[in-house]
């Protein structure tokens, strides 16, 4: 009986702590999702201007089995030239999951995408991205991003 009472008291005392921490993580989750959404919106617009602000200065970008360097390097040598060659880039079936490990946010995104180049064949792919974000001041920044895509089955 005493053990049961101790468990009940301990549980009751722990509850306000969990409830207090939850709104902060809800806000953090929304902020992390907003960073990822801003990045995705820039890709859809084929204009990555300002996306540097979404990434940490020392970020690391990995794409389809390759290391691309920092986001600044990736943007200058890979992403911007690619976007300039596209007529359109669209996403569908987008889902995001965010979890926290201490001060770090881990995000997983799944989606389908369709790239229509100015010249050449349309590419339709299934994509996945994992990102590690950390708080810098009042905002969340992407420290590491890894994305890859593959052809849907039957394509």
């Amino acid at each position: 009986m005493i053990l049961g009472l101790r468990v009940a008291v301990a549980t009751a005392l722990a509850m306000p702590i969990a409830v207090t921490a939850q709104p902060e993580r809800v806000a953090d989750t929304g902020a992390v999702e907003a960073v990822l959404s801003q990045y995705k919106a820039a890709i859809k617009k084929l204009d990555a201007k300002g996306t540097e602000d979404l990434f940490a200065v020392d970020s690391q970008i990995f794409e389809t089995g390759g290391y691309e360097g920092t986001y600044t390097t990736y943007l200058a040598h890979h992403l911007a030239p690619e976007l300039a060659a596209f007529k359109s880039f669209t996403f569908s079936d987008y889902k995001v999951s965010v979890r926290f490990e201490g001060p770090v946010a881990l995000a997983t995104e799944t989606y389908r995408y369709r790239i229509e180049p100015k010249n050449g064949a349309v590419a339709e792919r299934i994509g996945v991205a994992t990102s590690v974000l950390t708080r810098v001041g009042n905002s969340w920044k992407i420290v590491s991003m890894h994305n890859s895509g593959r052809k849907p089955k039957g394509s």
Side-chain angles (χ1 to χ4, degrees):
M1 169 124 161
I2 293 176
L3 179 59
L5 183 58
R6 285 183 186 166
V7 171
V9 170
T11 302
L13 290 174
M15 299 254 322
I17 294 169
V19 171
T20 304
Q22 187 179 14
E24 178 183 315
R25 286 306 190 196
V26 169
D28 285 341
T29 298
V32 166
E33 289 174 351
V35 168
L36 299 172
S37 179
Q38 289 171 43
Y39 183 69
K40 188 168 54 92
I43 301 300
K44 285 171 65 173
K45 288 189 317 187
L46 305 178
D47 182 4
K49 184 179 177 183
T51 55
E52 303 93 330
D53 294 339
L54 304 174
F55 290 80
V57 174
D58 61 347
S59 61
Q60 296 182 334
I61 307 301
F62 302 88
E63 184 176 88
T64 313
Y67 174 62
E68 302 288 338
T70 66
Y71 182 72
T72 303
T73 301
Y74 174 67
L75 179 59
H77 299 285
H78 186 119
L79 185 60
E82 259 186 4
L83 293 178
F86 295 159
K87 189 174 180 179
S88 70
F89 194 126
T90 57
F91 291 94
S92 62
D93 300 329
Y94 178 80
K95 293 179 183 141
V96 62
S97 172
V98 177
R99 72 182 177 106
F100 295 90
E101 293 295 330
V104 173
L106 305 172
T108 303
E109 300 167 282
T110 58
Y111 45 86
R112 290 181 172 269
Y113 63 96
R114 183 178 192 276
I115 299 170
E116 185 177 351
K118 290 178 181 174
N119 299 308
V122 169
E124 295 194 29
R125 301 286 186 266
I126 297 171
V128 64
T130 55
S131 299
V132 177
L133 296 89
T134 189
R135 188 188 302 272
V136 177
N138 290 329
S139 43
W140 286 89
K141 303 276 185 180
I142 301 168
V143 176
S144 179
M145 177 181 275
H146 181 205
N147 60 68
S148 63
R150 65 177 180 190
K151 288 184 178 181
K153 290 183 181 180
S155 294

